[in-house]
Amino acid sequence: MTRKGSAKWSGGLKDGKGQIFTESGALDGHPYGFAMRFEGVKGTNPEELIGAAHAGCFSMALSNILGQAGYTADSLEATSAVDLEQADGGFVIPRVKLTLKASIPGIDEAEFQKLAAEAKAGCPVSKLLNAEITLDAALV
C-alpha cells in the first residue's frame, strides 16, 4: 500500500507560498508558508500535519490492540505535539508528546497503560519518527 502527498512551492523561503495536496483530496491545495511555520500565523505547517498523522495512527493502533485484548473504546482522544527546534545550523524534531484521554469500559489502569505503551511503540508513524516519543495516557 502506498499513499501520496505532494507540495508545490513558489518564491523564496520567507516571501514564498506553498500548497499541500493529499491523494485523497482531504487537502487540495491547502496553503502553507514560512509565517505559518515559524511566526505563529494561522495556517498549516509540516509539523502540524505530522502531529495529526501520528495522533490518528496511534489511535487506530490502540483500537486494534484493545480489540485483540477484548476491549472496545467508547472514545480515544489523542494529541501529538511535535517540537521543532533549531540545532547545528538546521532544524530538527527532537521530541513528540502523545497525550491520550480514553474511555474504555472494563479496563483497569495497569492494563490500559500497558496497551497504550504497546500502541505507541507499534504505531507505524511512531516507528518512522527519529525523535523521543513520550505518552501521557489517562482514563476519563
Side-chain angles (χ1 to χ4, degrees), residues 94-125:
R95 284 173 305 285
V96 178
K97 180 181 179 184
L98 281 169
T99 304
L100 172 67
K101 293 184 182 186
S103 175
I104 306 164
I107 197 167
D108 67 39
E109 183 69 25
E111 179 78 353
F112 167 67
Q113 292 296 333
K114 175 179 150 290
L115 297 179
E118 190 177 317
K120 178 193 84 147
C123 159
V125 174

Side-chain angles (χ1 to χ4, degrees), residues 10-43:
S10 61
L13 175 62
K14 290 191 176 183
D15 66 345
K17 296 184 189 304
Q19 295 177 303
I20 294 176
F21 301 82
T22 56
E23 182 178 30
S24 69
L27 296 175
D28 188 16
H30 196 83
Y32 77 106
F34 183 89
M36 294 171 192
R37 190 172 192 186
F38 297 107
E39 297 174 350
V41 171
K42 189 172 175 86

Side-chain angles (χ1 to χ4, degrees), residues 29-91:
H30 196 83
Y32 77 106
F34 183 89
M36 294 171 192
R37 190 172 192 186
F38 297 107
E39 297 174 350
V41 171
K42 189 172 175 86
T44 197
N45 57 70
E47 292 72 35
E48 174 183 74
L49 297 171
I50 291 167
H54 195 202
C57 181
F58 168 72
S59 296
M60 291 179 77
L62 181 54
S63 179
N64 181 48
I65 289 168
L66 287 167
Q68 291 172 356
Y71 301 101
T72 301
D74 285 343
S75 70
L76 300 172
E77 295 180 25
T79 302
S80 177
V82 178
D83 290 345
L84 179 67
E85 295 179 0
Q86 196 163 11
D88 300 324
F91 287 89

